[in-house]
Amino acid sequence: MPFTELNAMPELTPSRPCIGPDDVVSLRGRYLVKADGSRFVMKGIGFPVPEPGPENEGGLAPRTFNATAWNGILHQLRGSNLELEINTVRVYRMDPSTDYSAFFDEAARLGIYVIVPLTAAEGKGVLDRNKRAPKCYSRHLFQYGVKCLENYLRYPNTVAGLIGNEVMNSLETWPAAPCVKAYARDLKLYMEDALDRPLPLMYAAQHSGFGPSLDDVSAMRLTMDYLTCVSEVHPGQGGVSGMAAMIHARNVNELAIGASIDVFGINVESWCSSEGTFEQNEDGSEGSYFSL
């Protein structure tokens, strides 16, 4: 079904309560949980960002956000997927200088959480996979991420922030991997020091192997293990002892924990077919379902 701007959005009765401050999702151990301790499981769909709106008055630059079109798509997604009861959408492109309150508020009214991007395809928000660390992490990227967090964390239905999308797609782009972890570390430290709540950080990998070197399962496992790896330092290591060793271990461990991601996603790209299912494609190969 094509996604178009709707002049009049249909009234939908949310199948779940609206999302409010008490419904904020956070990380506890290895799980996403709500304030009452109940587990939160994402069940969602990619959000097809519409084209920018028409020019503003006076022939100024086109708007980057058209609230009517965005909210119309929300209603189309909910209207066509009521049986699936989606609770999350992933937005691929956003501008942290734009006010998206109309979109977030309508999504919250419909009971939908939002995964937001913390990088961009161009400009100051690029994490460049074609450059080796540390050059892949420009001095502008951290400030871009801070701007994203300060904008999007105002809304209780912001559920995760994507810090990288298909960065390590091949052995040639793996030298950029440390930049992904460094970016995660810096954003986590900033959230701890300056913001009211942390946002779970997410990475999305391409569902493919690295040529003849690694098949898709091995490549996904390697990527996940690297991005979630935490190296602990214990008292007595590093040539220090006593209280100094305890402080040293705590500081290093905080940095190590901060360098890991919280959610690992896999972009499974498969063709739609009337004969295919979520688990299996028409030719018998694995479908959209993937488990590590």
Side-chain angles (χ1 to χ4, degrees):
M1 180 179 65
F3 295 97
T4 59
E5 180 176 341
L6 300 183
N7 294 321
M9 294 179 294
E11 285 296 325
L12 289 176
T13 301
S15 61
R16 62 184 70 84
C18 297
I19 299 169
D22 293 335
D23 301 303
V24 169
V25 172
S26 61
L27 189 72
R28 186 178 302 174
R30 59 180 296 184
Y31 299 110
L32 296 174
V33 297
K34 293 186 178 182
D36 62 3
S38 60
R39 284 186 60 186
F40 175 77
V41 179
M42 295 183 192
K43 187 175 184 181
I45 193 169
F47 185 84
V49 175
E51 292 299 317
E55 290 185 350
N56 295 312
E57 293 182 8
L60 299 178
R63 294 174 292 168
T64 58
F65 171 59
N66 184 329
T68 302
W70 283 59
N71 289 350
I73 289 173
L74 274 178
H75 280 257
Q76 286 181 334
L77 292 175
R78 284 281 288 111
S80 61
N81 291 280
L82 287 175
E83 72 280 1
L84 298 179
E85 295 187 352
I86 63 170
N87 62 13
T88 307
V89 294
R90 173 188 169 185
V91 183
Y92 285 79
R93 300 191 312 275
M94 298 180 79
D95 177 0
S97 64
T98 297
D99 180 6
Y100 291 96
S101 55
F103 167 73
F104 279 99
D105 291 347
E106 185 63 11
R109 192 184 77 83
L110 295 174
I112 296 176
Y113 288 84
V114 183
I115 300 172
V116 297
L118 302 181
T119 60
E122 58 185 10
K124 296 181 178 180
V126 172
L127 196 160
D128 195 342
R129 67 183 180 185
N130 296 313
K131 295 180 180 178
R132 301 176 63 90
K135 293 183 178 180
C136 44
Y137 187 176
S138 75
R139 62 189 179 91
H140 301 291
L141 178 57
F142 173 69
Q143 292 302 324
Y144 181 90
V146 166
K147 198 171 182 179
C148 290
L149 293 174
E150 291 178 343
N151 186 341
Y152 310 144
L153 272 179
R154 295 180 294 157
Y155 309 104
N157 53 332
T158 302
V159 68
L162 201 79
I163 61 169
N165 181 67
E166 300 185 359
V167 176
M168 297 92 78
N169 276 1
S170 65
L171 295 178
E172 289 73 27
T173 57
W174 255 89
C179 291
V180 177
K181 297 199 73 169
Y183 189 38
R185 174 202 63 209
D186 293 346
L187 292 182
K188 285 191 174 185
L189 291 174
Y190 177 79
M191 286 188 283
E192 182 179 351
D193 290 340
L195 299 181
D196 294 333
R197 70 174 175 105
L199 178 68
L201 298 182
M202 178 178 180
Y203 176 85
Q206 184 182 38
H207 178 217
S208 62
F210 301 151
S213 304
L214 289 173
D215 61 20
D216 55 350
V217 175
S218 300
M220 295 301 95
R221 172 64 67 178
L222 172 66
T223 306
M224 184 182 72
D225 287 349
Y226 173 78
L227 293 175
T228 58
C229 176
V230 176
S231 300
E232 294 188 358
V233 176
H234 301 283
Q237 291 181 302
V240 292
S241 59
M243 183 59 70
M246 295 292 292
I247 296 174
H248 173 71
R250 177 184 175 185
N251 291 341
V252 174
N253 282 336
E254 285 179 350
L255 288 176
I257 292 172
S260 63
I261 63 165
D262 305 309
V263 181
F264 182 71
I266 301 175
N267 297 329
V268 181
E269 300 172 357
S270 58
W271 295 103
C272 296
S273 167
S274 59
E275 300 295 327
T277 65
F278 183 69
E279 292 81 9
Q280 192 174 69
N281 292 325
E282 187 174 357
D283 62 3
S285 60
E286 188 173 51
S288 296
Y289 176 80
F290 192 90
S291 176
L292 287 174

